[in-house]
Amino acid sequence: MFITNAWYVAAWSDEVGDVPLRRMICGSPVVLFRSGGEAVALADACAHRQYPLSGGQVIDGRLRCGYHGFEYNGEGICTAVPGQDTVPANTFVRRFPIVEQDGWVWIWPGDPERAQNQSPPDTHWLNDAEWDGVRFTHLYNCRASLLHDNLLDLTHEAFLHEASIGDDSVYTNGITVEASANTVVVDRFMPRCHPSQLYVTAMGVEPPMDRWHTTDFQLPSLHVIHCGVGTPGAPRPEGYHLEVLNAITPATENTTWYFYANYRDFAVSNSEINELMYNSLKQVLDEDAVALEKQEQMIAGGHGAAHDRLIAQDAGVAKARRLLRQLLDAESS
């Protein structure tokens, strides 16, 4: 059901502190907290009676179970049992590999040995003083695959998001697709188009303008969409740039954590533009949530067609589905 031998975003760094944070990750309950300042992720079930450790409290970097007071260190090893001096042998809970990078806490829910030589994807824009942006966390009531499809076929912008970020050039211009074993890149160039009012206001541009977005899907969890608007005919590097980071983390079979960040290299530290972007993009994400939940209900209820009727704009969707299936098959074989 899930590709587990991979890095997934579990939380923003500032979400993880001295209060236990519970997250479902690829079907497993996980508790996150800090021990000695370091982010820690443990299985959210006490070894004693399986009480959720997230219902306890962090004391001096140790996580104390709220049921009978068993205490666990940052390695997941029980260090104290109330009422006795000794701890029963092999009393521990699973500890997940964690990497904290660029304001995100990444977790490896699969075989920990396979995480040792793997690094999370590059998201340096989140930690770059020359970029500014807004971010969101959503739990969507849909399976992760629907979010992947949604991000690889952005033609829906013109219809679902007509009032915020959409314009007809998104579907009247075609795409090019490149794929490797673990990436799918979908590029769309929209010459001399009329960008949405959000872009016109935020960037201070006058249409017509060239517009582009390149979706770089780094399987199985991160879509980085390199967006831009520029003077017609000018090279892309001379335009205004957005880096849209979409971290997709399966929670359960039909719910998904969506960690979203929209960062820009213009109007940095401009609070008015931040507010404009936040309000407009919140609307976009809410519209996506409604649409994807409706799709989930149709699919889960068995009311949809047996197979999607894909079109030319779905070339990236088709390649990603095939690669995700290959990764899942390889892991389960």
Side-chain angles (χ1 to χ4, degrees):
M1 184 181 301
F2 305 112
I3 299 167
T4 59
N5 288 315
W7 289 108
Y8 292 93
V9 173
W12 293 94
S13 289
D14 57 13
E15 291 184 285
V16 181
D18 293 332
V19 177
L21 174 68
R22 178 182 171 90
R23 284 275 151 88
M24 289 295 294
I25 306 290
C26 293
S28 297
V30 174
V31 58
L32 298 115
F33 65 102
R34 291 195 180 273
S35 178
E38 299 295 323
V40 173
L42 304 179
D44 192 19
C46 181
H48 178 220
R49 297 276 183 83
Q50 308 306 305
Y51 186 81
L53 290 171
S54 56
Q57 56 184 317
V58 179
I59 299 175
D60 296 329
R62 299 184 306 276
L63 182 55
R64 176 183 290 176
C65 179
Y67 194 15
H68 291 96
F70 281 52
E71 293 186 5
Y72 297 86
N73 63 18
E75 297 298 319
I77 299 171
C78 184
T79 58
V81 175
Q84 63 185 58
D85 296 330
T86 60
V87 176
N90 297 319
T91 304
F92 64 91
V93 296
R94 180 182 178 186
R95 180 181 184 273
F96 295 89
I98 285 287
V99 170
E100 195 164 2
Q101 173 180 290
D102 298 328
W104 268 337
V105 176
W106 295 82
I107 188 171
W108 184 281
D111 181 353
E113 291 187 1
R114 297 186 60 177
Q116 293 179 4
N117 297 319
Q118 303 289 334
S119 299
D122 175 25
T123 56
H124 69 274
W125 303 277
L126 297 172
N127 196 35
D128 190 329
E130 295 185 0
W131 291 75
D132 195 7
V134 296
R135 66 188 202 184
F136 300 85
T137 303
H138 278 274
L139 181 63
Y140 276 16
N141 292 315
C142 71
R143 62 197 67 193
S145 61
L146 291 178
L147 270 162
H148 294 315
D149 290 353
N150 185 68
L151 292 165
L152 288 163
D153 174 18
L154 293 177
T155 58
H156 74 275
E157 285 184 1
F159 306 98
L160 187 63
H161 308 311
E162 181 180 10
S164 52
I165 61 172
D167 64 80
D168 291 350
S169 62
V170 178
Y171 68 85
T172 57
N173 291 279
I175 58 174
T176 60
V177 179
E178 296 181 3
S180 66
N182 294 291
T183 62
V184 176
V185 179
V186 180
D187 183 77
R188 176 180 280 105
F189 180 64
M190 296 158 277
R192 301 191 64 82
C193 69
H194 287 69
S196 69
Q197 188 59 47
L198 173 61
Y199 290 130
V200 170
T201 301
M203 300 174 184
V205 299
E206 290 294 334
M209 301 291 287
D210 287 349
R211 183 182 171 206
W212 61 87
H213 48 61
T214 305
T215 301
D216 181 4
F217 180 24
Q218 300 169 52
L219 281 69
S221 70
L222 181 68
H223 298 253
V224 181
I225 306 178
H226 312 288
C227 302
V229 171
T231 302
R236 293 190 188 188
E238 295 180 4
Y240 299 84
H241 304 99
L242 296 163
E243 296 293 337
V244 186
L245 309 176
N246 307 264
I248 311 302
T249 302
T252 64
E253 181 180 3
N254 54 12
T255 61
T256 306
W257 287 106
Y258 187 13
F259 301 92
Y260 174 94
N262 188 300
Y263 272 59
R264 63 186 188 274
D265 66 355
F266 57 91
V268 174
S269 300
N270 186 317
S271 59
E272 292 184 1
I273 297 300
N274 277 341
E275 182 177 3
L276 170 67
M277 297 295 286
Y278 183 91
N279 292 334
S280 298
L281 295 172
K282 182 180 185 303
Q283 175 184 338
V284 169
L285 297 180
D286 288 345
E287 290 166 347
D288 278 335
V290 172
L292 295 173
E293 183 172 349
K294 289 180 178 179
Q295 285 179 272
E296 178 64 39
Q297 291 171 350
M298 293 295 289
I299 295 170
H303 306 304
H307 301 286
D308 291 344
R309 300 315 191 254
L310 300 184
I311 60 174
Q313 296 276 14
D314 294 314
V317 171
K319 287 184 181 294
R321 287 181 179 181
R322 186 161 54 250
L323 290 172
L324 286 167
R325 171 52 59 184
Q326 290 173 0
L327 289 174
L328 187 60
D329 289 346
E331 191 165 295
S332 59
S333 62

